[in-house]
Amino acid sequence: GNAGKLKVNFNAFAGIQQPWAINVKVADAQQYAQLYNQYQQIMGKKDYFPTDGTNYLNPIDNTVLKTIDWTKEIFRTGVVQNYNVSLNGGGKVSNYFFSLGYSGDQGTVLKTYNNKINVRLNSDHKITKWLKIGENFSFTNNENASQGERNEYGSPLATSIQMLPFVPIFATDGSGNYNNAEAGLACNIKNPLAQIEFNNNLSKNNSLFGNVYLRADIIKGLSFESRLGMNYYEGSYIAFTPVHSI
């Protein structure tokens, strides 16, 4: 801390974040139907998807195939927040500094976030003209929810570019379940939104770092200082997916 009157500072920031660009271009429902019919022809079979001359149709009910852009369904606009308050002051004998901070980062993938709390304290005190004691401590609490974004095969980011582009998000039978089939076709790819709904990946950790010190000015130009420090960390990770139907 610094000597002088009590000073209070407060800083705040809030903003939003979005995916910069989704560069993976996948076939929409009409393009997929065209490619699938071409595959059928190569295999010596008749076209699977009928057409009305303009659009490809669902062979079950002859409705126009509609596109679900899964790469957009799993993303959102995330809110970013940062707040910090600090107090510092002191006098001829003692000086002190204290700060408390919070940062909240709402991920651009649904159901992801990172929240952090920081606390910092340091002070020093003159016991005599030649003897000083002090301490420095900092504490951090961090909580992070993820969707296994770095899994290139099984994460919602991966399945969103593999899912059939005409499969509705929810089943059309009124059950309210997530869907993975349409137009008489089913795929072995998980519904990306179902993954996000049922994935519960949460990590938490606390860390505490600090030290206390004693300094003695023996003679001019010669001093002795002794420090006692600590570094503590604890963390946990929970990955839970409940039984569910898709």
Side-chain angles (χ1 to χ4, degrees), residues 152-189:
E152 62 181 307
Y153 300 108
S155 74
L157 279 71
T159 56
S160 68
I161 63 176
Q162 300 175 63
M163 190 65 173
L164 294 176
F166 47 79
V167 173
I169 296 172
F170 296 100
T172 56
D173 59 5
S175 64
N177 292 331
Y178 287 97
N179 203 8
N180 73 331
E182 179 68 2
L185 296 178
C187 62
N188 59 356
I189 302 302

Side-chain angles (χ1 to χ4, degrees), residues 34-52:
Q34 181 183 22
L35 291 171
Y36 196 86
N37 279 356
Q38 290 176 0
Y39 165 76
Q40 291 287 95
Q41 294 166 11
I42 292 172
M43 298 300 293
K45 300 178 182 180
K46 66 176 182 179
D47 289 351
Y48 183 82
F49 291 97
T51 178
D52 61 5

Side-chain angles (χ1 to χ4, degrees), residues 2-241:
N2 298 315
K5 296 181 180 180
L6 173 65
K7 295 181 180 179
V8 179
N9 293 297
F10 177 74
N11 296 301
F13 167 81
I16 60 174
Q17 59 182 2
Q18 296 175 312
W20 178 252
I22 302 174
N23 294 319
V24 179
K25 302 300 181 182
V26 297
D28 62 24
Q30 293 297 313
Q31 292 168 334
Y32 185 94
Q34 181 183 22
L35 291 171
Y36 196 86
N37 279 356
Q38 290 176 0
Y39 165 76
Q40 291 287 95
Q41 294 166 11
I42 292 172
M43 298 300 293
K45 300 178 182 180
K46 66 176 182 179
D47 289 351
Y48 183 82
F49 291 97
T51 178
D52 61 5
T54 303
N55 298 298
Y56 289 98
L57 310 176
N58 185 327
I60 305 300
D61 57 15
N62 285 324
T63 56
V64 175
L65 290 173
K66 296 181 180 179
T67 299
I68 300 294
D69 190 340
W70 292 100
T71 57
K72 291 184 178 179
E73 293 292 337
I74 65 171
F75 287 106
R76 66 180 172 188
T77 298
V79 177
V80 180
Q81 305 174 74
N82 288 282
Y83 307 100
N84 183 270
V85 60
S86 65
L87 300 87
N88 70 283
K92 294 182 179 180
V93 176
S94 299
N95 297 300
Y96 58 86
F97 174 84
F98 172 81
S99 70
L100 174 65
Y102 167 80
S103 63
D105 186 342
Q106 191 180 57
T108 55
V109 176
L110 295 173
K111 206 177 171 184
T112 63
Y113 64 84
N114 186 77
N115 296 330
K116 182 182 292 186
I117 297 174
N118 294 294
V119 182
R120 181 183 171 194
L121 171 67
N122 61 62
S123 67
D124 57 72
H125 314 275
K126 285 186 176 181
I127 305 303
T128 67
K129 290 183 178 180
W130 55 272
L131 184 64
K132 178 193 287 187
I133 62 172
E135 83 284 326
N136 297 277
F137 288 102
S138 64
F139 170 78
T140 302
N141 169 267
N142 192 77
E143 183 174 303
N144 178 271
S146 67
Q147 287 293 329
E149 296 92 332
R150 296 185 180 182
N151 184 333
E152 62 181 307
Y153 300 108
S155 74
L157 279 71
T159 56
S160 68
I161 63 176
Q162 300 175 63
M163 190 65 173
L164 294 176
F166 47 79
V167 173
I169 296 172
F170 296 100
T172 56
D173 59 5
S175 64
N177 292 331
Y178 287 97
N179 203 8
N180 73 331
E182 179 68 2
L185 296 178
C187 62
N188 59 356
I189 302 302
K190 295 180 180 179
N191 184 311
L193 289 177
Q195 284 183 278
I196 292 174
E197 174 69 22
F198 297 115
N199 283 349
N200 296 280
N201 304 321
L202 184 66
S203 64
K204 298 180 180 181
N205 61 72
N206 295 302
S207 61
L208 176 64
F209 171 81
N211 65 76
V212 295
Y213 68 91
L214 180 147
R215 176 172 177 170
D217 296 321
I218 301 172
I219 59 174
K220 186 176 181 179
L222 178 62
S223 62
F224 169 82
E225 183 171 304
S226 178
R227 289 179 178 266
L228 176 64
M230 65 168 294
N231 192 350
Y232 172 79
Y233 175 87
E234 66 169 1
S236 65
Y237 177 75
I238 299 173
F240 172 66
T241 303

